Amino acid sequence: LILALPAAARAQEAVTFDHTELAIVTAGGARHVFKVDWAKTWPQKARGLMFRKEMPLDNGMLLDYDPPSEASIWMRNTFIPLDLVYIRADGVIESIYLGAKPHDETARPSKGPVRAVLELNAGVTRLLGIQAGDRVEHPIFKAQ
């Protein structure tokens, strides 16, 4: 028995991600490593963490904006509450939106051009003392 999926569902199923690691170094010198799915294409960024029911605390999603641009995140079809970490091209955290609620379609824009947005489980940034001004280490960020 083969069940036919609607075209939209098939398109969602087809989105896959590369996996990478990044580290966040806090102002106090603590270094936190995360395993992340790397969303580089627009279909990957549009999918993001939609439809996932859970995510380990040391995992996340890195939405890569190359070239850097203004980014705006919403939570349509997202089941996990998230902290949204906006990161400039030099790897410095521009801002953090704490506790985006599942299914909330309110746009959460960056405060300027960013190279990436890191989506983490809600509460992780507070738990680890991660703040705006901290540095993210990953090959896409160029120290200035």
Side-chain angles (χ1 to χ4, degrees):
L1 174 66
I2 297 175
L3 299 175
L5 293 174
R10 286 194 308 275
Q12 290 293 338
E13 290 298 318
V15 177
T16 60
F17 301 93
D18 289 336
H19 305 287
T20 187
E21 286 191 354
L22 60 77
I24 299 175
V25 180
T26 66
R31 189 171 189 273
H32 305 288
V33 177
F34 295 91
K35 298 173 192 83
V36 297
D37 288 342
W38 190 357
K40 301 178 224 176
T41 68
W42 281 110
Q44 290 171 327
K45 288 182 268 200
R47 172 71 183 258
L49 290 171
M50 286 183 178
F51 308 110
R52 295 195 195 177
K53 304 284 187 187
E54 59 186 25
M55 183 172 64
L57 290 179
D58 67 343
N59 285 24
M61 170 77 61
L62 182 65
L63 306 169
D64 187 350
Y65 294 89
D66 185 20
S69 59
E70 305 250 341
S72 187
I73 305 297
W74 64 353
M75 299 289 288
R76 175 183 284 177
N77 297 319
T78 305
F79 297 105
I80 305 166
L82 299 172
D83 287 348
L84 307 172
V85 181
Y86 297 90
I87 310 161
R88 297 190 319 236
D90 62 359
V92 174
I93 296 174
E94 173 223 71
S95 59
I96 301 173
Y97 183 92
L98 300 171
K101 292 178 177 38
H103 308 292
D104 183 354
E105 295 189 12
T106 304
R108 291 166 188 83
S110 59
K111 295 179 180 173
V114 295
R115 173 60 200 261
V117 179
L118 175 62
E119 298 178 337
L120 299 171
N121 282 291
V124 166
T125 56
R126 238 186 225 149
L127 178 70
L128 299 177
I130 296 168
Q131 300 178 17
D134 290 347
R135 181 165 301 281
V136 180
E137 296 175 346
H138 188 271
I140 67 170
F141 302 115
K142 305 199 179 2
Q144 295 181 348

